[in-house]
Amino acid sequence: MRKRQLAQMRAHQKPGAAEMFDSIDTELKARLDCRIKAMEDRIGAAISFDDLRAKTTGVLHSIPGVGPVASTMLVAQMHEPGTVTGEQAAALVGLAPVVHNSGTLPGKRTIAGDRRALRHVMFQAASVAAHHNLTMKTFADRLRKAGKPHKLIITAGARKRVNLAHALCKSRQKWTPSTA
């Protein structure tokens, strides 16, 4: 809602738009910001109330490219960190390729899963990491040079993030940069 409201505010700033929207837009933006802050505080309190979730969030925050939104979504929607394999974790998020073969005809591989919101958050984290994290940038560049499509590159990066997060949560260790 806040993004939509900000877009509308920018549209009203165009020449010929009525100034009467200024006070309404400002008031609505302030109200949305207040509600978002209250929700973020409640989420933070819920996480800090549970020691296991707080430690898991700390581990997830140590991963470059996994910010507060991604780590919170992982903690909230991945109830199985450390109890399933990396492949199963990727499948639960909906980042594992599913083969659609028909008899002897090979089908196209697609991704699907019931944790769609988490998948979208991990797409955003992977997209940011592909531009700002040297390891992920190298990985994405290698796939791009191999002729892979953009969606496959982002999906592979998101899956790599989920597998890394899962492995670190399983071992209860924070991410450390490799020196190799």
Side-chain angles (χ1 to χ4, degrees), residues 135 175-180:
T135 306
W175 183 84
T176 55
S178 62
T179 56

Side-chain angles (χ1 to χ4, degrees), residues 90-173:
L92 287 169
V93 178
L95 293 169
V98 178
V99 181
H100 296 285
N101 292 342
S102 176
T104 59
L105 297 174
K108 188 172 183 172
R109 292 175 181 243
T110 59
I111 57 170
D114 60 336
R115 297 176 188 176
R116 185 176 181 173
L118 179 57
R119 183 171 59 246
H120 289 292
V121 168
M122 295 313 295
F123 278 159
Q124 290 298 317
S127 184
V128 169
H131 291 287
H132 300 290
N133 182 334
L134 183 61
T135 306
M136 290 302 291
K137 185 176 175 85
T138 306
F139 176 71
D141 288 342
R142 182 171 49 86
L143 291 176
R144 202 169 288 115
K145 285 178 185 171
K148 302 297 181 186
H150 178 72
K151 185 174 179 182
L152 187 140
I153 295 169
I154 297 301
T155 302
R159 182 177 175 155
K160 196 171 186 120
R161 291 272 148 211
V162 168
N163 285 337
L164 176 63
H166 175 74
L168 291 175
C169 288
K170 191 173 190 173
S171 66
R172 296 277 169 223
Q173 294 181 354

Side-chain angles (χ1 to χ4, degrees), residues 37-53:
K37 176 77 170 112
M39 282 190 259
E40 288 173 348
D41 291 344
R42 286 179 60 194
I43 291 168
I47 288 173
S48 63
F49 180 73
D50 184 358
D51 288 338
L52 180 62
R53 286 185 179 166

Side-chain angles (χ1 to χ4, degrees), residues 3-131:
K3 284 184 180 182
R4 184 173 45 218
Q5 180 62 28
L6 291 173
Q8 289 174 355
M9 288 171 68
R10 282 192 296 274
H12 290 162
Q13 292 173 354
K14 294 180 179 174
E19 280 80 29
M20 68 181 216
F21 290 109
D22 287 343
S23 63
I24 296 171
D25 290 341
T26 305
E27 180 183 330
L28 185 56
K29 182 185 175 297
R31 183 174 288 169
L32 290 173
D33 287 344
C34 182
R35 295 288 300 267
I36 290 169
K37 176 77 170 112
M39 282 190 259
E40 288 173 348
D41 291 344
R42 286 179 60 194
I43 291 168
I47 288 173
S48 63
F49 180 73
D50 184 358
D51 288 338
L52 180 62
R53 286 185 179 166
K55 288 177 185 175
T56 303
T57 303
V59 168
L60 294 172
H61 274 297
S62 71
I63 303 170
V66 176
V69 174
S71 63
T72 302
M73 286 292 287
L74 281 165
V75 167
Q77 294 201 358
M78 286 293 291
H79 309 289
E80 307 85 1
T83 60
V84 296
T85 66
E87 291 82 14
Q88 289 171 330
L92 287 169
V93 178
L95 293 169
V98 178
V99 181
H100 296 285
N101 292 342
S102 176
T104 59
L105 297 174
K108 188 172 183 172
R109 292 175 181 243
T110 59
I111 57 170
D114 60 336
R115 297 176 188 176
R116 185 176 181 173
L118 179 57
R119 183 171 59 246
H120 289 292
V121 168
M122 295 313 295
F123 278 159
Q124 290 298 317
S127 184
V128 169
H131 291 287

